[in-house]
Amino acid sequence: MRPILLLLLSAMIGNQLFAQAPVNDECATAIPLAVNGGYITASNIGTLLDAPNPSCGGADPIKDVWFSFQYTGGSISINTALSGTLTDTRIALYNGCSPGPAIVCNDDYTGMGYASRLNLTCTQLTMGATYYIQAGGYNSLVG
């Protein structure tokens, strides 16, 4: 009996650790990105359904993570890559953390399957301004 109890306790502790939300689960704690900084790896496992719902791809909220960047000029492309259980993504760009419409939003970019992409130009962005990226799994998918 004792080994089973230890195994169950270990499983419960492990589930609690994995259930914690990532630090960038909220817009206010968005992780800053360097423009032209290359690819980053992130996960939305453990995130909450408490953020604004992006205006593209349906009415279901997404389990999201947040990033920010300061616009320094030129064109910018922001992509998601599908991995593991995260088989469909949605991304949106905002000019702040307060509720408001997305500047641009994408779900299922043409030619990328269910991955998402934002293509931004200088006419859409203001030099020196900070922008916030909401990225997550469509229909609450995580990965």
Side-chain angles (χ1 to χ4, degrees), residues 90-102:
R90 290 164 62 188
I91 55 177
L93 183 76
Y94 300 89
N95 62 8
C97 286
S98 59

Side-chain angles (χ1 to χ4, degrees), residues 54-81:
S55 57
C56 59
D60 293 329
I62 65 173
K63 291 183 140 286
D64 56 16
V65 288
W66 292 83
F67 301 93
S68 65
F69 70 93
Q70 185 174 26
Y71 181 61
T72 56
S75 296
I76 295 176
S77 181
I78 302 166
N79 304 304
T80 61

